[in-house]
Short mmCIF file of all heavy atoms in Angstrom, two decimals:
data_model
loop_
_atom_site.label_atom_id
_atom_site.label_comp_id
_atom_site.label_asym_id
_atom_site.label_seq_id
_atom_site.Cartn_x
_atom_site.Cartn_y
_atom_site.Cartn_z
N LEU K 88 -10.20 12.35 -3.63
CA LEU K 88 -10.27 13.76 -3.08
C LEU K 88 -11.63 13.95 -2.39
O LEU K 88 -11.60 14.51 -1.37
CB LEU K 88 -10.26 14.78 -4.31
CG LEU K 88 -8.70 15.25 -4.57
CD1 LEU K 88 -8.69 16.09 -5.80
CD2 LEU K 88 -8.16 16.11 -3.37
N ARG K 97 -6.23 10.52 5.71
CA ARG K 97 -5.02 11.27 5.14
C ARG K 97 -4.25 10.33 4.17
O ARG K 97 -3.98 9.15 4.43
CB ARG K 97 -4.13 11.59 6.27
CG ARG K 97 -2.90 12.43 5.73
CD ARG K 97 -1.97 12.88 6.81
NE ARG K 97 -0.96 13.66 6.32
CZ ARG K 97 0.05 14.16 6.88
NH1 ARG K 97 0.22 14.09 8.20
NH2 ARG K 97 0.95 14.83 6.23
N VAL K 98 -4.15 10.83 2.83
CA VAL K 98 -3.53 10.08 1.88
C VAL K 98 -2.11 10.45 1.71
O VAL K 98 -1.76 11.79 1.53
CB VAL K 98 -4.29 10.20 0.52
CG1 VAL K 98 -3.67 9.34 -0.50
CG2 VAL K 98 -5.73 9.94 0.68
N ARG K 99 -1.16 9.55 1.69
CA ARG K 99 0.28 9.91 1.49
C ARG K 99 0.72 8.88 0.30
O ARG K 99 0.22 7.80 0.15
CB ARG K 99 1.10 9.63 2.72
CG ARG K 99 0.49 10.35 3.87
CD ARG K 99 1.59 10.50 4.91
NE ARG K 99 2.86 10.90 4.35
CZ ARG K 99 3.89 10.84 5.01
NH1 ARG K 99 3.92 10.28 6.13
NH2 ARG K 99 5.09 11.15 4.40
N PHE K 100 1.70 9.27 -0.42
CA PHE K 100 2.31 8.50 -1.51
C PHE K 100 3.66 8.04 -1.18
O PHE K 100 4.36 8.83 -0.66
CB PHE K 100 2.25 9.35 -2.90
CG PHE K 100 0.87 9.56 -3.33
CD1 PHE K 100 0.07 10.72 -2.83
CD2 PHE K 100 0.20 8.76 -4.24
CE1 PHE K 100 -1.15 10.86 -3.21
CE2 PHE K 100 -1.02 8.94 -4.53
CZ PHE K 100 -1.77 10.13 -4.03
N ILE K 101 3.90 6.67 -1.34
CA ILE K 101 5.19 6.23 -1.19
C ILE K 101 5.68 5.71 -2.38
O ILE K 101 4.98 4.97 -3.12
CB ILE K 101 5.30 5.25 0.05
CG1 ILE K 101 4.55 4.01 -0.18
CG2 ILE K 101 4.84 5.92 1.37
CD1 ILE K 101 4.79 2.91 0.80
N THR K 104 7.31 9.25 -7.28
CA THR K 104 6.15 9.75 -8.04
C THR K 104 6.67 10.64 -9.13
O THR K 104 5.89 11.14 -10.01
CB THR K 104 5.19 10.49 -7.09
OG1 THR K 104 5.76 11.45 -6.31
CG2 THR K 104 4.36 9.50 -6.19
N ALA K 113 0.52 16.32 -10.36
CA ALA K 113 -0.19 17.56 -9.77
C ALA K 113 -1.30 16.96 -8.99
O ALA K 113 -1.58 17.52 -7.81
CB ALA K 113 -0.67 18.45 -10.93
N LEU K 114 -2.02 15.97 -9.40
CA LEU K 114 -3.13 15.45 -8.66
C LEU K 114 -2.61 14.76 -7.30
O LEU K 114 -3.19 14.92 -6.27
CB LEU K 114 -3.77 14.32 -9.50
CG LEU K 114 -5.17 13.96 -9.36
CD1 LEU K 114 -6.10 15.22 -9.27
CD2 LEU K 114 -5.64 13.05 -10.53
N ILE K 115 -1.45 14.11 -7.49
CA ILE K 115 -0.97 13.53 -6.19
C ILE K 115 -0.68 14.53 -5.13
O ILE K 115 -0.98 14.45 -3.98
CB ILE K 115 0.39 12.79 -6.58
CG1 ILE K 115 -0.02 11.39 -7.31
CG2 ILE K 115 1.28 12.53 -5.47
CD1 ILE K 115 1.20 10.56 -7.91
N ARG K 116 -0.11 15.71 -5.57
CA ARG K 116 0.24 16.85 -4.70
C ARG K 116 -1.08 17.39 -4.03
O ARG K 116 -1.05 17.60 -2.85
CB ARG K 116 1.01 17.84 -5.42
CG ARG K 116 2.56 17.75 -5.36
CD ARG K 116 3.20 18.95 -5.75
NE ARG K 116 2.92 19.48 -7.07
CZ ARG K 116 3.39 19.11 -8.22
NH1 ARG K 116 4.37 18.12 -8.19
NH2 ARG K 116 3.04 19.54 -9.43
N GLU K 117 -1.99 17.49 -4.97
CA GLU K 117 -3.27 18.06 -4.56
C GLU K 117 -3.91 17.15 -3.45
O GLU K 117 -4.41 17.69 -2.46
CB GLU K 117 -4.24 18.13 -5.72
CG GLU K 117 -5.28 19.12 -5.57
CD GLU K 117 -6.36 19.10 -6.84
OE1 GLU K 117 -5.86 18.80 -7.97
OE2 GLU K 117 -7.50 19.43 -6.61
N VAL K 118 -3.97 15.86 -3.68
CA VAL K 118 -4.45 14.89 -2.77
C VAL K 118 -3.69 14.92 -1.40
O VAL K 118 -4.34 15.03 -0.30
CB VAL K 118 -4.63 13.53 -3.31
CG1 VAL K 118 -4.97 12.50 -2.25
CG2 VAL K 118 -5.36 13.39 -4.54
N GLU K 119 -2.42 15.10 -1.52
CA GLU K 119 -1.62 14.97 -0.18
C GLU K 119 -1.94 16.28 0.50
O GLU K 119 -2.03 16.17 1.66
CB GLU K 119 -0.10 14.84 -0.65
CG GLU K 119 0.31 13.50 -0.71
CD GLU K 119 1.82 13.17 -0.67
OE1 GLU K 119 2.59 14.07 -1.13
OE2 GLU K 119 2.25 12.17 -0.24
N GLU K 120 -1.90 17.32 -0.29
CA GLU K 120 -2.00 18.59 0.53
C GLU K 120 -3.39 18.79 1.19
O GLU K 120 -3.67 19.20 2.25
CB GLU K 120 -1.74 19.85 -0.51
CG GLU K 120 -0.26 20.11 -0.54
CD GLU K 120 0.05 20.91 -1.74
OE1 GLU K 120 -0.72 21.73 -2.15
OE2 GLU K 120 1.24 20.89 -2.27
N ALA K 121 -4.48 18.44 0.36
CA ALA K 121 -5.88 18.56 0.84
C ALA K 121 -6.14 17.67 2.09
O ALA K 121 -6.85 18.00 2.88
CB ALA K 121 -6.85 18.27 -0.30
N SER K 122 -5.47 16.57 1.90
CA SER K 122 -5.90 15.55 2.99
C SER K 122 -4.84 15.66 4.30
O SER K 122 -5.08 15.02 5.29
CB SER K 122 -5.81 14.08 2.56
OG SER K 122 -4.54 13.63 2.31
N ALA K 123 -3.82 16.56 4.22
CA ALA K 123 -2.88 16.65 5.18
C ALA K 123 -3.43 16.88 6.49
O ALA K 123 -3.00 16.47 7.57
CB ALA K 123 -1.73 17.64 4.79
N PRO K 124 -4.48 17.78 6.58
CA PRO K 124 -5.03 18.07 8.01
C PRO K 124 -5.82 16.92 8.52
O PRO K 124 -6.30 17.03 9.69
CB PRO K 124 -5.84 19.43 7.79
CG PRO K 124 -5.70 19.79 6.29
CD PRO K 124 -5.14 18.55 5.54
#
Side-chain angles (χ1 to χ4, degrees):
L88 266 174
R97 178 172 185 187
V98 187
R99 305 202 44 203
F100 292 83
I101 65 171
T104 52
L114 205 47
I115 284 172
R116 272 195 302 275
E117 202 184 330
V118 173
E119 271 194 331
E120 279 164 23
S122 73

